[in-house]
Amino acid sequence: MTAETITFPDYLSEWKVFRMLDNLQPTAAGLDGLPAWYLQVAAPIFCRTIANLFNMSLATSTVPHQWKEARIRPVPKVSAPKEHADYRPISVTPIMCRLMERTVVRTFLYPAFLNPPPTLTFSDQFAFRPTGSTSAAIISLLRIVINLLQYNPFVVVVSLDFSKAFDTVRHSTLLCKLAALDLPTTVYNWLVDFFSSHSHHTVFNGEASQTRSITASIIQGSGVGPAAYTVTAGDLRPLNTDNTLIKFADDTYLVIPAAKVNTRTAEINNIEAWAAENNLRLNKAKSREVIFRDNRREKLKTLPPQLPDITRETSLKILGVTFTNNLSASDHIRRVVSDSAQTLYALRVLRYHGLSDVGLQEVFRAVVVSRLTYASTAWSGFVTAADIQRVDAFLRRSKRCGFCPPGLPDFGEQLAECDDRLFSRIRHNQQHVLHSLLRHHLPLLKTMICDLVGMIDNYLLALVI
């Protein structure tokens, strides 16, 4: 019996593989040298063979050795890198391997996240999950803080930093947690084979290092890597049930109400112990503590003592959005307007080199408007009318310069549109990470509607009488 006559379970259909190849975006090729454009153009010819290859890989729980070899491309984390720590190692793996990984994640891992075992929880993780986003993470964090402020004079939020979290995840520990998920045996064994015998080499300034095997790292740049870190952090929980953890990948925020402020040290020690067990390290020097309070109440006379080795700030940048300790996002508005104003200089340079007004407006929409509205559904309720006017003044100046599309709505209208889109996604998707908040507020909305209808009925009755 030849390999052509062997049949394997149809995990992936020929049509699905064709769609994946046909929708390939420009991306770097791996060590196999197969470029994305070639796979896309030849999709009608290759889709059947690649579908058989993918199905055979899953059925036999085997990952081709060539797919386990990667080229590390260091990406600067800062504008002027000076040392090794200023670079983020991104693994460039073969494109077909990445397609296979995404299929495993979407078909098997994501459904398993919906019904996790008792030892793992994913409801507090907002990255690398369907419908997860920075906006959802910030909304959930602020909702918890605001609810706690109703019964507490202050709320402590500690922003935790893990040193090189993605690079140090131990494969053996990760696979133990993956074993607890509801995965088919062949898929779990495929993941075991995927993480074993991995190797890579680094290419920098035209020079390549020697190839070395790895037993840690979730392989940044891979398709399985992000979901693998979600599993790794799945058993990180607060000691006290009144405290809360909000996670977005390795960005972790510990929320503690005033009533439980004496548990801070125990919670930090617990997180440090968890990190040690998972081959991670909590970097206290980069962690930050902020005490949020309601300005409408009497000013706090005494604050809890500062945590050892963790700096206390008056503002906190939560996933790129700055909030002061009185829950104001005005500083965020000032920062993004300043950054956007600097972008106008780049647009002037592009105009000088011949870019048309239509092209300039497309760049403005892609760069400036996306920056102004980033995570706006989370912070739009924490800015003032003066902040909105500041952005509108900037947009009017940009329109006069010809950079901003003349038909672009006012900033307030743009914020409302972003809110409507998010609400529509939540309302029509019961699996959305924020859908539970909608269910929580439905009884209150129904009560308000009933009260409003009653008021209208009484008013109409009074008119008749």
Side-chain angles (χ1 to χ4, degrees):
M1 182 178 292
T2 64
E4 291 293 333
T5 61
I6 299 176
T7 58
F8 297 98
D10 192 16
Y11 297 104
L12 280 170
S13 66
E14 180 179 338
W15 170 247
K16 190 172 182 178
V17 172
F18 169 78
R19 291 292 302 273
M20 287 194 298
L21 297 174
D22 191 51
N23 293 324
L24 268 177
Q25 300 297 319
T27 184
L31 293 176
D32 60 358
L34 283 176
W37 67 264
Y38 180 72
L39 292 172
Q40 186 180 38
V41 170
I45 302 172
F46 290 157
C47 62
R48 185 174 187 177
T49 302
I50 294 178
N52 290 336
L53 174 64
F54 285 177
N55 289 326
M56 180 173 63
S57 176
L58 272 178
T60 60
S61 303
T62 304
V63 180
H65 179 71
Q66 293 88 341
W67 289 3
K68 300 181 185 182
E69 297 179 351
R71 179 177 66 251
I72 297 294
R73 182 181 61 186
V75 177
K77 295 191 289 185
V78 296
S79 56
K82 297 180 180 179
E83 52 187 21
H84 296 163
D86 294 334
Y87 291 89
R88 177 178 289 109
I90 302 298
S91 297
V92 182
T93 55
I95 295 174
M96 286 206 299
C97 180
R98 279 176 264 166
L99 292 176
M100 181 69 184
E101 293 173 64
R102 291 172 196 156
T103 300
V104 170
V105 169
R106 294 171 182 170
T107 308
F108 301 103
L109 284 180
Y110 283 165
F113 288 173
L114 298 177
N115 297 293
T119 55
L120 301 174
T121 180
F122 304 113
S123 59
D124 56 1
Q125 175 65 261
F126 294 89
F128 313 135
R129 290 178 56 200
T131 72
S133 65
T134 54
S135 296
I138 300 172
I139 288 172
S140 296
L141 176 58
L142 294 176
R143 171 183 171 271
I144 293 170
V145 171
I146 292 172
N147 286 346
L148 291 175
L149 282 175
Q150 296 180 23
Y151 310 101
N152 293 269
F154 62 87
V155 175
V156 177
V157 176
V158 183
S159 173
L160 303 168
D161 181 88
F162 295 101
S163 298
K164 299 185 178 298
F166 290 87
D167 304 329
T168 57
V169 172
R170 189 186 297 111
H171 292 167
S172 58
T173 306
L174 167 63
L175 291 173
C176 287
K177 297 178 184 181
L178 284 169
L181 294 176
D182 184 17
L183 296 172
T185 302
T186 55
V187 174
Y188 173 76
N189 290 335
W190 187 92
L191 291 168
V192 172
D193 191 63
F194 174 83
F195 282 108
S196 64
S197 303
H198 247 287
S199 62
H200 63 219
H201 68 265
T202 302
V203 177
F204 186 69
N205 285 340
E207 298 185 6
S209 68
Q210 295 181 350
T211 301
R212 294 293 180 88
S213 299
I214 58 174
T215 58
S217 169
I218 59 165
I219 312 170
Q220 294 191 68
S222 67
V224 167
Y229 188 83
T230 298
V231 176
T232 298
D235 60 348
L236 175 58
R237 298 174 179 175
L239 286 175
N240 194 292
T241 55
D242 293 327
N243 302 331
T244 309
L245 282 173
I246 296 292
K247 309 168 193 169
F248 189 87
D250 60 333
D251 292 302
T252 305
Y253 301 89
L254 174 64
V255 185
I256 302 176
K260 298 295 180 180
V261 71
N262 60 335
T263 65
R264 289 180 304 161
T265 302
E267 292 287 3
I268 296 298
N269 291 339
N270 174 60
I271 293 171
E272 279 193 297
W274 173 87
E277 291 176 0
N278 289 271
N279 203 35
L280 304 176
R281 186 177 71 85
L282 177 63
N283 188 350
K284 290 186 177 180
K286 290 187 177 181
S287 299
R288 295 292 182 267
E289 178 192 45
V290 172
I291 298 179
F292 289 101
R293 54 184 182 269
D294 191 344
N295 276 350
R296 295 172 297 180
R297 297 184 179 181
E298 184 180 353
K299 188 175 181 180
L300 291 174
K301 297 179 181 179
T302 58
L303 295 175
Q306 189 170 332
L307 285 167
D309 303 323
I310 294 181
T311 304
R312 178 176 292 174
E313 303 281 0
T314 57
S315 64
L316 180 64
K317 182 178 283 189
I318 305 174
L319 301 176
V321 181
T322 302
F323 292 91
T324 57
N325 56 5
N326 61 351
L327 287 175
S328 170
S330 295
D331 286 354
H332 172 72
I333 289 292
R334 283 190 283 270
R335 180 177 60 81
V336 296
V337 170
S338 175
D339 293 344
S340 299
Q342 295 177 15
T343 305
L344 296 186
Y345 173 75
L347 292 174
R348 293 189 183 96
V349 173
L350 291 174
R351 172 179 283 171
Y352 175 79
H353 287 281
L355 187 62
S356 65
D357 286 347
V358 175
L360 290 170
Q361 291 170 7
E362 285 298 321
V363 174
F364 184 91
R365 189 187 295 273
V367 177
V368 177
V369 175
S370 61
R371 178 190 293 138
L372 291 172
T373 57
Y374 165 74
S376 64
T377 52
W379 54 256
S380 59
F382 299 89
V383 296
T384 64
D387 296 327
I388 304 298
Q389 292 171 5
R390 181 192 298 270
V391 179
D392 282 331
F394 168 77
L395 292 177
R396 287 194 297 270
R397 185 168 72 251
S398 302
K399 288 179 180 179
R400 289 195 298 270
C401 295
F403 299 139
C404 180
L408 189 72
D410 293 340
F411 192 56
E413 296 177 16
Q414 295 182 51
L415 296 181
E417 290 177 3
C418 293
D419 289 344
D420 291 341
R421 286 196 296 269
L422 177 62
F423 182 77
S424 178
R425 289 196 294 268
I426 297 172
R427 187 165 58 92
H428 293 100
N429 184 2
Q430 294 186 358
Q431 302 298 333
H432 197 285
V433 293
L434 295 179
H435 192 76
S436 60
L437 304 186
L438 190 62
R439 292 198 308 267
H440 175 75
H441 291 289
L442 277 179
L444 178 60
L445 291 173
K446 291 179 180 178
T447 302
M448 293 174 63
I449 292 172
C450 291
D451 291 344
L452 181 60
V453 171
M455 291 172 61
I456 295 174
D457 289 341
N458 291 336
Y459 176 72
L460 293 176
L461 182 60
L463 289 178
V464 172
I465 294 175

